[in-house]
Amino acid sequence: MKKLLLLALVALVAGSGMTAQAQTLKIKGVYQNNRYDDNGKDVKDDISHYFSIYLGYNYDLQIPIFIVQNSIYSMTWNGTTLSEPVKEPAVNYQDFYSGSISRYGNGYGGEFTDNDKAQWATNFNNMMGNSGAVYVDGKIMTVMSRDYQSTVDEEIFSVRKWDATTGDLLESEIVGLDRNLETAGMAYNPKDGKLYGFVHFTTAQLPDEITSDPDFFVDQDGEASANDDGYAICQIDPVSLQVSLVTPGLYYGNWVAFAINSEGRAFALTSGGVNAPIDDDGRMRDMYGNLTGAQLCEFDLSSGLMLTTTKSAVDSETGETYEEQVPTIPNATGYASQVHRQSMCFDKNNPNVIYWNGYFNSGKGVNGGGSYTSLPDENWIENGKYDTCLYSIDVNTGIGTRLAKIPNRFTFSCMWVEGADVSDGCGMNILAGIEDVQTDVAATTSKGVYNLSGQKVGNATEGLTHGVYIVDGKKYVVK
């Protein structure tokens, strides 16, 4: 189906390169699971290799206790090298468990010595932002979506708020998919003090006044579908979780990241363009010499529209010249990434450079036979198919620079520069004020009851064992 939806991304003109600033930055992020690392393959004695470690069932808390990779991580870029991401705050099982860890990644021979610390550590199992995450002035909001393939019987979003320094879980709320919280990224705008996101919508979720406007939606073949989907700039209320559409329509494309700088300029990034051989400078160019790969685009937050300029082009079939709209940022980055969750951030002291956590490639490379093609998935550890990198992108030229590979192929659902995020000191409240209620859930409501992982565990009228539950966005503790 062919459909005119606002503006299309087209071929772009190459420009000059950029040099990343030589400065020391401590970049922090919320870990987003990338690929399971075969859980102990050939390194059974190295417990740091395990995706999760099961310590045992805590009968006081009535929950199993795990140590997982999910958490807040930090890495340092000094202008030359990038340190390996490490958990910050650190999670040490010795702080709350008296036993040891077996070579199979399980605890044995011990007991829990600090239940509060054990609960805190296992909470990181829920720090997942597969639908997006954002740092705002010392706090983090993560959004996890669960669909029909999960253990719940309905599609939901699990929204959690965290202390970015201590890692404490501050709030947990369950909402329906009608909230439209699936994003390519969220960011705070220091110019108006609001939170924005590049939000995923289907055509069916847009207001009638938009879909019926021929200036934005022209069904050219009579096959318009309610499943057509794209992205739009939106304002997001972090307390009510209400999403307000700003863009009058949708932008198609594989959008993977979103960020706003200290000047209030908003940027979104596509995953990549035409795959091409790698040049001597490490970048990719098409057959005309133009940089290809991921494309950075700037958006006006008041209108939600992409900033564009007019360019003359020639129809390859008819030879006729016509005018088209292209992004004002003149070049692609030169690096093709993948269609997986990624993130970007700014140092508030440098509004012209984005730091981007992208992939080393789009899943392609030189195979064993010497051909440039799709790399085999089963050899991803050896061939680097899912390796990740830290890049910088000049927001005015669009050209990217690969700064360093990230050890152990980390990906993040959001990133920020410690002490230099655009939201630091803004005072925005992202907490809804949900408090622990010491009561029996069954006496309160007959609605569905969820655990802190977002799994539906029954209805309140059925009665529940001791534990912590979420009902209608409120936390209940059953004694």
Side-chain angles (χ1 to χ4, degrees), residues 321-341:
T321 300
Y322 63 95
E323 301 294 315
E324 64 181 1
Q325 296 294 309
V326 298
T328 54
I329 299 176
N331 305 289
T333 60
Y335 301 99
S337 194
Q338 298 194 36
V339 189
H340 293 284
R341 179 158 299 284

Side-chain angles (χ1 to χ4, degrees), residues 30 32 128-135 140-143 183 185-187 341 343 412-415:
V30 173
Q32 181 63 34
M128 298 186 66
N130 65 357
S131 290
V134 63
Y135 167 91
I140 302 165
M141 180 170 72
T142 60
V143 182
T183 76
M186 295 175 279
R341 179 158 299 284
S343 57
F412 302 97
S413 51
C414 73
M415 295 194 306

